Amino acid sequence: MRLLEEFDFIDSIQPAYYRQSSVVKGIGDDAAIVRYTNEDTIMTVDTMVENVHFSTKTTDAFHIGYRALAANISDIAAMGGKPVAYVVSIVIPDSWSSHALHEIYRGMDELASTYKMDLIGGDTVSGKQLVLSITVLGTVLKGQARYRSDALENDIIFVTGTIGDAACGLHILLDESETDYERYQYVINRHRMPTPRVSFINHCSSIERMALNDISDGISNEANEIAKASNKTLIIDYHQVPSHPLLADFTLEQCLDWKISGGEDFELIGTVPANDWATLQKIAKETNIKITAIGMVQDDEKKNGTVWLRDGNTLNKLAKSGYTHLRG
Ligand code: ADP
Ligand code: MG
């Protein structure tokens, strides 16, 4: 797309109306305005570069937009908040057609509409590689955000959904000898169209304390972040980490890799007091979300800040990168 077409492009993505009453000014001026009185504002940004974070070989333009926005919304969910609006900064190479760009925006809007989120601004420049950077604005009731630093001794560690699906789906898409896409449709869709756990987390307000993180890089990384921020020891039982039955088609080594360090499931990992576990299960049931207890938090001065993976009788330190000697 040529820069001259930029104005037509901005015109064409301008929404006809805004879904959120908090949007005072959207696209069309120098900046957007959003108004709140009783809530804390959450902001998060994520940037995706063509051929680094996505490739048109495995992902069409619609899903590039969808997934990029999903990743940001997942960060809002991991703070315990609700997504409200987003702005999009896009670097466009000449080789990208205006149709493909509209597909990116259509992908974002498909997900945005389910949360009644508004596109309220952005920036458009030309460059050599497609870069898509999305900033999402969210809200949370005053003082009710969920932090990684809130884990305490004897908390139950839980995850939502099944873990490793998206990495498995990407593997299928990258594997040129694989042809049975129909069989693997579920995990392929988990890669292309992940569902951030907004609804579940917004029903958890009766639970006073919860440490929370979203799974964008893999549970090894996210659990380590909780352990470090809370200065506690996280013990995860590998055999409790839930996976989709389709993963049984693959080697134990692949499954270990996807479940421990395969990211982009955009599920949540958190810790709650054992007393709240029954309540959390009830909320999960009501919001149609699978949750699984995968371990316990310990307070062990010598180990605090680290994560350990239990496999039967052996306990191995789990590095942020997901490396354990189980891999060998
Ligand atoms: P300015 O030069 O004042 O920064 P622009 O001409 O860049 O304004 O943008 C005009 C309007 O269009 C602004 O409201 C801006 O937020 C919006 N906009 C520009 N590019 C995009 C984009 N890629 N996606 C969404 N909104 C955009
Ligand atoms: Mg201006």
Side-chain angles (χ1 to χ4, degrees):
M1 194 177 78
R2 312 249 155 221
L3 221 53
L4 272 181
E5 296 167 50
E6 179 190 322
F7 300 109
D8 291 342
F9 175 68
I10 295 172
D11 260 356
S12 70
I13 56 170
Q14 179 147 1
Y17 64 95
Y18 291 97
R19 297 163 178 143
Q20 297 277 340
S21 57
S22 57
V23 175
V24 177
K25 186 77 203 177
I27 292 178
D29 213 307
D30 298 307
I33 309 256
V34 183
R35 185 178 293 156
Y36 295 108
T37 42
N38 289 314
E39 284 130 320
D40 288 337
T41 311
I42 310 172
M43 288 192 71
T44 179
V45 60
D46 255 309
T47 302
M48 291 173 79
V49 180
E50 183 174 10
N51 297 325
V52 177
H53 303 100
F54 64 88
S55 157
T56 50
K57 283 201 193 85
T58 55
T59 316
D60 53 32
F62 178 90
H63 292 113
I64 290 168
Y66 191 104
R67 213 157 64 89
L69 185 61
N72 276 283
I73 296 175
S74 178
D75 281 322
I76 301 281
M79 296 306 287
K82 269 195 213 15
V84 171
Y86 61 112
V87 295
V88 177
S89 174
I90 190 163
V91 179
I92 307 173
D94 278 353
S95 58
W96 274 67
S97 69
S98 137
H99 172 74
L101 292 174
H102 281 108
E103 281 297 292
I104 292 180
Y105 275 79
R106 200 169 66 80
M108 292 189 289
D109 191 58
E110 169 94 8
L111 188 61
S113 68
T114 67
Y115 300 106
K116 299 195 163 59
M117 290 171 74
D118 288 313
L119 172 66
I120 58 169
D123 197 22
T124 312
V125 295
S126 58
K128 291 214 162 62
Q129 240 172 334
L130 189 91
V131 179
L132 180 64
S133 179
I134 308 180
T135 302
V136 172
L137 182 79
T139 59
V140 62
L141 288 179
K142 264 183 198 163
Q144 304 216 336
R146 307 288 187 184
Y147 299 115
R148 295 172 182 177
S149 52
D150 280 341
L152 290 179
E153 188 175 21
N154 296 326
D155 277 2
I156 288 179
I157 307 168
F158 69 90
V159 289
T160 60
T162 48
I163 306 302
D165 303 3
C168 177
L170 180 61
H171 168 84
I172 301 288
L173 290 169
L174 289 170
D175 180 359
E176 278 161 18
S177 66
E178 181 58 66
T179 50
D180 197 355
Y181 291 120
E182 214 161 288
R183 174 167 177 78
Y184 296 110
Q185 201 57 52
Y186 178 80
V187 286
I188 290 172
N189 279 342
R190 288 272 287 159
H191 167 72
R192 286 183 171 159
M193 301 175 79
T195 308
R197 299 305 181 194
V198 173
S199 162
F200 166 70
I201 211 63
N202 281 292
H203 280 82
C204 291
S205 51
S206 64
I207 294 181
E208 210 165 298
R209 182 177 59 75
M210 184 190 286
L212 202 61
N213 202 350
D214 70 319
I215 304 177
S216 51
D217 292 315
I219 58 174
S220 55
N221 183 70
E222 330 306 356
N224 266 286
E225 286 172 349
I226 293 175
K228 204 161 171 213
S230 299
N231 194 33
K232 293 289 173 292
T233 311
L234 269 60
I235 313 279
I236 293 175
D237 187 339
Y238 178 63
H239 297 283
Q240 302 297 324
V241 178
S243 56
H244 192 273
L246 276 173
L247 265 68
D249 288 7
F250 301 89
T251 66
L252 292 176
E253 177 124 349
Q254 280 173 310
C255 290
L256 175 71
D257 188 38
W258 297 336
K259 285 166 69 175
I260 297 303
S261 40
E264 304 197 322
D265 285 316
F266 299 114
E267 296 293 344
L268 296 170
I269 179 169
T271 86
V272 282
N275 277 341
D276 287 320
W277 179 240
T279 310
L280 197 69
Q281 281 179 303
K282 196 165 150 258
I283 296 166
K285 203 165 174 203
E286 283 161 7
T287 52
N288 222 354
I289 291 293
K290 175 186 171 73
I291 54 164
T292 311
I294 61 164
M296 292 284 287
V297 178
Q298 292 181 358
D299 190 352
D300 177 342
E301 228 170 85
K302 290 199 204 86
K303 288 192 187 142
N304 280 348
T306 62
V307 179
W308 296 75
L309 194 64
R310 191 192 301 283
D311 181 16
N313 289 325
T314 57
L315 201 60
N316 292 291
K317 189 170 169 184
L318 186 60
K320 238 174 128 67
S321 61
Y323 185 82
T324 79
H325 89 239
L326 282 177
R327 233 165 239 267

